[in-house]
Amino acid sequence: MRRVVQFSTGNVGVHSLRAIIGRPDLELVGVHAATPAKVGRDAAELCGLGEPTGITATADINALIALRPDCVVYTALGETRPIEAIEEMSTFLRAGINVVGTSMVWLVVPRQADDWLRTPLEQACAAGGASLYVNGIDPGYSADTAVHSALSLVARARSVTVQEIFDYGNYDDYEYTGTAMGFGRTCEDDVPMAFQPGVITSLFGGLVRNLARQLDVELDDVRERYEAWYATERITCRMTTVEAGGVAAVRFAVEGVRADAPVLTVEHVNRLTPAAAPSWPYPPGGALGVHKVVVEGEPRVEVNTHLSHPTLDVTDAGCVSTAARAVNAIDWVCRAPAGLIGLEDIPPAEMIRGLMW
Ligand SMILES: NC(=O)c1ccc[n+]([C@@H]2O[C@H](COP(=O)([O-])OP(=O)(O)OC[C@H]3O[C@@H](n4cnc5c(N)ncnc54)[C@H](OP(=O)(O)O)[C@@H]3O)[C@@H](O)[C@H]2O)c1
């Protein structure tokens, strides 16, 4: 039985918290809350479960360390406050407490992460003899597990394309995703944060370079591209409201290039409504989202991953899966040698332990 602390209860964190409470191989021992209104409330209430757990949320990291958990599930928004997130993760790691999580998406490919991020976390892992693992659905599953499965079916590959084609209309994250992608901005506004030169590459280029390393291919270049689609009429959705003339869909990619042709592509097509950007690719069968891998090779392989749920929408289903990518690794990460862990370090069957009881 692993003793686990859940750090934050946002879009993803409520689902990791539910998973921890529900799994007999994990024991919830603490919950962190940054929002003052959440402090002191029962974990069950924070994730919409009926039966109280007796574990109440605290903003005091030292009190959580004093509980001596085996692992912390860190799902606090990290990319807009990276220095604080590194320090929070490092505080647990230095105390010998393992961390799994979904935040700081650069860490999905830790060997490709920049020094400013990797070095302090490696030092914290070494100081505490602890391990850190970050994953999700995209980035994460779509460019690692899904690609590995597709490539295992081919005798030779010519190219790999990873696509998230997803309607973000119901994603309640204007603060980070919406602002960064510039939903609602007009063509006269400044280029949004995510599409400033080099930013897409900083977020997704590591995935491309990691695949190149795993496939043992040398790329001539890693380049990025970006397009926006502007609304022709007002669009109202959970993420935000976009007036006519504002961005309602974006399409962007990082491409690993050989002989002037993209051979490894990680692409996103994100709309706020199915009516946006009608000439761009859609998920198959009228779905709102797909995580898709296409390997052109011998033979051609296409993997389309669709999530659904009896009561949650596809966006929340994606958050359940993102949380699962972290929670499912807890046991192995607790047994791992100290340091930063990438998915490739974990034997695949270790990720399904504890799922069925
Ligand atoms: N790879 C993937 O597939 C994938 C998918 C989705 C999300 N993610 C990543 O997972 C992380 C969580 O995403 P999310 O959608 O769950 O985020 P979110 O709901 O926007 O925020 C998560 C939590 O972060 C805490 N937080 C936000 N701003 C804060 C601040 N200024 N100071 C301290 N704490 C703050 C809050 O914690 P409290 O609850 O304690 O108040 C909030 O509930 C993000 O880093 C995101 O990039 C990855």
Side-chain angles (χ1 to χ4, degrees):
M1 177 83 91
R2 300 291 183 188
R3 293 166 56 76
V4 182
V5 161
Q6 171 60 40
F7 197 105
S8 95
T9 51
N11 297 314
V12 176
V14 292
H15 296 298
S16 41
L17 181 54
R18 280 178 178 225
I20 296 162
I21 292 170
R23 277 177 61 153
D25 58 334
L26 304 175
E27 181 191 1
L28 179 74
V29 296
V31 178
H32 184 274
T35 306
K38 294 183 181 178
V39 172
R41 288 169 62 191
D42 192 278
E45 190 192 344
L46 292 176
C47 65
L49 294 178
E51 197 177 323
T53 61
I55 307 296
T56 52
T58 175
D60 182 350
I61 291 184
N62 288 326
L64 294 169
I65 289 174
L67 296 168
R68 304 305 309 157
D70 298 307
C71 191
V72 170
V73 180
Y74 188 91
T75 58
L77 184 63
E79 293 81 4
T80 53
R81 43 185 285 282
I83 303 306
E84 293 99 310
I86 290 171
E87 188 44 36
E88 285 169 350
M89 288 176 169
S90 296
T91 302
F92 289 110
L93 294 166
R94 279 193 299 263
I97 299 164
N98 303 292
V99 178
V100 302
T102 65
S103 307
M104 308 291 277
V105 292
W106 305 279
L107 292 168
V108 167
V109 279
R111 292 175 182 86
Q112 305 296 331
D114 291 343
D115 288 348
W116 66 268
L117 175 60
R118 211 180 51 229
T119 305
L121 290 166
E122 273 174 349
Q123 287 170 348
C125 286
S131 303
L132 169 64
Y133 166 75
V134 170
N135 207 273
I137 188 162
D138 189 306
Y141 162 84
S142 58
D144 53 44
T145 304
V147 171
H148 296 173
S149 298
L151 284 171
S152 75
L153 298 172
V154 302
R156 287 199 65 108
R158 288 188 298 281
S159 68
V160 179
T161 302
V162 178
Q163 284 180 313
E164 178 186 276
I165 308 174
F166 218 91
D167 192 318
Y168 277 2
N170 248 348
Y171 190 26
D172 188 13
D173 181 26
Y174 188 73
E175 184 190 354
Y176 172 53
T177 306
T179 313
M181 291 189 172
F183 288 122
R185 289 181 183 231
T186 70
C187 56
E188 276 137 39
D189 291 331
D190 295 340
V191 177
M193 190 270 281
F195 306 123
Q196 303 274 346
V199 175
I200 306 173
T201 304
S202 110
L203 285 170
F204 295 92
L207 302 173
V208 169
R209 285 191 295 273
N210 203 47
L211 281 175
R213 186 180 64 81
Q214 292 171 335
L215 284 159
D216 200 19
V217 295
E218 214 163 292
L219 299 173
D220 301 334
D221 193 13
V222 174
R223 67 190 183 197
E224 60 186 33
R225 57 180 162 80
Y226 156 66
E227 284 175 81
W229 186 88
Y230 296 93
T232 49
E233 55 189 45
R234 175 184 251 220
I235 291 165
T236 306
C237 60
R238 190 164 163 208
M239 181 183 272
T240 187
T241 295
V242 176
E243 302 297 338
V247 173
V250 294
R251 182 177 189 176
F252 57 95
V254 177
E255 298 174 334
V257 177
R258 279 176 81 183
D260 263 342
V263 290
L264 300 175
T265 301
V266 173
E267 181 175 46
H268 268 229
V269 176
N270 295 124
R271 300 176 164 84
L272 293 185
T273 162
S279 64
W280 293 356
Y282 280 94
L288 285 177
V290 65
H291 290 96
K292 176 170 177 167
V293 173
V294 175
V295 175
E296 297 294 346
E298 186 59 35
R300 179 183 189 274
V301 180
E302 180 170 325
V303 176
N304 288 298
T305 303
H306 295 280
L307 309 172
S308 62
H309 192 280
T311 55
L312 302 176
D313 66 25
V314 289
T315 305
D316 267 336
C319 290
V320 175
S321 293
T322 294
R325 299 284 292 177
V327 171
N328 293 349
I330 289 175
D331 186 63
W332 191 86
V333 169
C334 289
R335 288 182 276 128
L340 303 191
I341 295 171
L343 179 88
E344 69 226 52
D345 301 319
I346 309 180
E350 292 284 353
M351 296 288 285
I352 58 173
R353 285 165 70 102
L355 280 183
M356 194 181 277
W357 292 76

